[in-house]
Amino acid sequence: MKRFVTLLLIGLLVVAAGCIGSSSSGSSSSVQSGSSSSSGQQVKVIKLGALLDLSGPIASDGKKIQNALKLAQEDINAYFQKKGEPFKVEILFEDTRTDPKVALEKLQTLDAQGVKVIIGPTSSGELKNMKSYVNAHKLIVISEASTAPPKFIGFAKPEDKKYVFRFVPTDFFQSKAIAAELKSKGIKGVVILYRGDAWGKGLHDATVEKIKGSIEIAEDISYPSNPEPTDWSPYISKAEQGVESLLSKYSPDQVAVWVVGFDEIATLLSQVSDDSPLLKVKWFGSDGDVLSDKIVEEAGDKASKVVLYSTQFFAQSEEGKKFVQRYREKFGIEPSEYALIAYDAAWVGALAEAEVLKEKGSFDADLVAQKIKEILPKYSSGELGVSSVTGNIELDEWNDRASGDYAIWGIVNGKWKLLGLWKSSTGRIEWSS
């Protein structure tokens, strides 16, 4: 009997030790791979990277995009959990300051952390500096805001750009909208100031091609992008000469300044003197400055005087309208269109990587690129149980969004206001009453 009790105690101790060991092992596995899903599978963490400007010339937009991506992370994880899928998304944010050199360094940082799908960068200059590394290391990039035509970021043929997707149309479309704006407002003469990087030059060249012969260009001024000017007086002086020459031929409502830049336009405007001829005419901008908080805060009165008509890609589904309302309620500000595009990009990137992990068990850039194209029509239509917030996303042969309309914003009484919409289907602007 004593021997039986002893054996029984030993057996119980062995079982207990086994349970403890099993619990410890499961805990260790959970730290590395995540918790178990409802199906009992270990949850795999999909790390997405986000290359955003959080402290540079377009930080006001970068922070709006970051907000949208935080919502995307919540929503994607809720989706995976509801579907019983063994995945969890984690978005890692890196601040590029819109500096091409920093963008490459931050891309390398993300790659070293095992991130293979990246949302961003925001500017084309950054993308141009990253493309060789992206191709060499087979990473997937989905930019929400790079708009320079492929040749301006160094891509000679579509095959060279197979890992780089842009869910926004190129400036081939935006230049049409800007040209239509100028003509619709009866502009006969213009002075141009533009940022001399890949994005600025790309948009400049595309637009000049569409207005030359119909609108006189008195001055065509390029300024450096890295670093941007701190003293704008040489550029202001040259622009003033151009406007004065145009005012000798045309009325003030027939003359304009077109500026292609980012938040630095705030500094430029603030340095324009109150009696400058530059403030006697309307200004036009682009997607680089639209909804900039800095311009309103630092140059609100002057900006209101010149309006700064600015274009931004616009595509918003019914789901998108709900998202905008939710965004406003949570963050107390209006999201930019690029914030909405980034939200869609995170969804498509996460779903594509999850599909590849299910099929192959490991990351494969070529297969992810293929899955993105397969998932896009399903995601756009709502077939997957979730809908695009920017409507139908179709890509051209360069993996860029194939078309789109453009909203026209302006600064009225110190606030950005939606003033019109350029429709790609008609090539015309519908101005708000």
Side-chain angles (χ1 to χ4, degrees):
M1 182 69 178
K2 189 184 283 188
R3 187 169 182 275
F4 172 77
V5 171
T6 302
L7 289 172
L8 181 61
L9 288 171
I10 291 171
L12 289 171
L13 287 170
V14 169
V15 170
C19 289
I20 292 169
S22 173
S23 173
S24 173
S25 172
S27 207
S28 172
S29 176
S30 175
V31 170
Q32 295 171 8
S33 304
S35 58
S36 296
S37 69
S38 58
S39 61
Q41 297 172 280
Q42 285 298 322
V43 173
K44 293 182 180 178
V45 176
I46 295 174
K47 293 181 179 180
L48 299 181
L51 294 175
L52 307 175
D53 183 342
L54 300 175
S55 64
I58 46 176
S60 57
D61 203 33
K63 290 170 183 174
K64 291 173 183 176
I65 295 168
Q66 184 180 41
N67 290 339
L69 288 174
K70 288 177 179 178
L71 293 179
Q73 179 174 294
E74 289 178 18
D75 295 347
I76 296 168
N77 286 334
Y79 174 88
F80 282 144
Q81 189 171 24
K82 182 180 178 182
K83 295 281 187 181
E85 296 277 12
F87 301 107
K88 181 180 179 181
V89 166
E90 180 183 349
I91 301 179
L92 306 183
F93 297 94
E94 292 290 346
D95 179 12
T96 68
R97 306 195 301 275
T98 314
D99 184 322
K101 183 175 179 291
V102 174
L104 177 57
E105 292 170 355
K106 295 303 178 86
L107 175 68
Q108 292 167 334
T109 297
L110 289 171
D111 186 21
Q113 294 175 332
V115 176
K116 302 301 179 186
V117 176
I118 292 95
I119 311 303
T122 303
S123 78
S124 297
E126 295 169 277
L127 184 55
K128 181 179 181 180
N129 200 44
M130 287 166 41
K131 69 179 182 63
S132 296
Y133 187 91
V134 167
N135 284 344
H137 292 259
K138 293 192 172 185
L139 305 176
I140 296 291
V141 167
I142 310 175
S143 176
E144 80 293 346
S146 165
T147 56
K151 69 175 183 177
F152 284 98
I153 48 177
F155 292 107
K157 55 185 185 296
E159 177 63 18
D160 297 338
K161 197 171 165 291
K162 64 181 178 179
Y163 300 134
V164 176
F165 296 81
R166 296 189 290 180
F167 284 7
V168 62
T170 70
D171 287 328
F172 172 77
F173 290 95
Q174 184 177 194
S175 62
K176 290 182 178 182
I178 293 171
E181 269 186 301
L182 294 168
K183 291 172 184 176
S184 176
K185 289 296 183 182
I187 302 302
K188 295 187 179 298
V190 66
V191 166
I192 303 172
L193 294 100
Y194 70 97
R195 187 179 173 93
D197 58 11
W199 167 74
K201 182 168 174 50
L203 180 56
H204 165 274
D205 290 4
T207 305
V208 166
E209 183 67 27
K210 291 176 177 60
I211 66 172
K212 68 181 182 182
S214 60
I215 296 176
E216 180 182 349
I217 300 173
E219 290 287 351
D220 198 356
I221 307 162
S222 173
Y223 63 85
S225 61
N226 191 22
E228 297 143 0
T230 52
D231 177 11
W232 286 87
S233 56
Y235 305 98
I236 290 171
S237 177
K238 195 170 184 182
E240 286 176 337
Q241 292 171 20
V243 166
E244 285 174 339
S245 72
L246 291 171
L247 289 174
S248 69
K249 309 174 193 178
Y250 311 114
S251 62
D253 61 350
Q254 294 176 318
V255 177
V257 173
W258 178 45
V259 59
V260 184
F262 298 145
D263 280 355
E264 70 270 14
I265 293 172
T267 310
L268 164 61
L269 265 171
S270 66
Q271 291 183 20
V272 174
S273 63
D274 292 335
D275 60 351
S276 170
L278 296 180
L279 299 183
K280 296 178 181 178
V281 301
K282 298 303 182 202
W283 284 37
F284 292 76
S286 70
D287 60 336
D289 63 74
V290 71
L291 296 175
S292 166
D293 296 329
K294 186 175 181 181
I295 293 174
V296 168
E297 290 164 4
E298 295 186 10
D301 291 341
K302 290 176 181 175
S304 295
K305 195 168 186 178
V306 300
V307 185
L308 192 60
Y309 296 97
S310 298
T311 43
Q312 185 181 55
F313 171 72
F314 180 84
Q316 206 174 100
S317 64
E318 288 303 313
E319 196 64 32
K321 292 175 184 176
K322 296 176 190 174
F323 178 81
V324 169
Q325 183 60 34
R326 175 187 169 202
Y327 187 104
R328 287 189 193 124
E329 289 172 358
K330 186 170 181 67
F331 301 109
I333 55 174
E334 188 80 18
S336 65
E337 188 70 21
Y338 297 135
L340 273 66
I341 296 171
Y343 179 88
D344 280 341
W347 267 100
V348 174
L351 292 172
E353 186 167 351
E355 283 297 307
V356 170
L357 291 175
K358 281 191 285 188
E359 286 185 17
K360 194 171 179 179
S362 60
F363 181 83
D364 182 313
D366 293 286
L367 195 51
V368 171
Q370 177 186 320
K371 291 294 181 185
I372 287 174
K373 294 178 182 179
E374 292 174 4
I375 285 169
L376 270 176
K378 297 177 183 178
Y379 174 72
S380 295
S381 67
E383 185 180 330
L384 301 176
V386 60
S387 298
S388 163
V389 296
T390 62
N392 189 42
I393 305 172
E394 292 184 12
L395 303 178
D396 62 17
E397 62 176 339
W398 293 91
N399 288 338
D400 295 329
R401 198 164 189 149
S403 65
D405 298 337
Y406 281 81
I408 300 169
W409 295 80
I411 299 174
V412 180
N413 297 324
K415 294 181 180 179
W416 284 102
K417 183 179 179 182
L418 183 62
L419 301 177
L421 182 68
W422 178 81
K423 304 282 286 186
S424 61
S425 58
T426 63
R428 295 180 180 277
I429 294 174
E430 299 173 358
W431 292 105
S432 302
S433 55

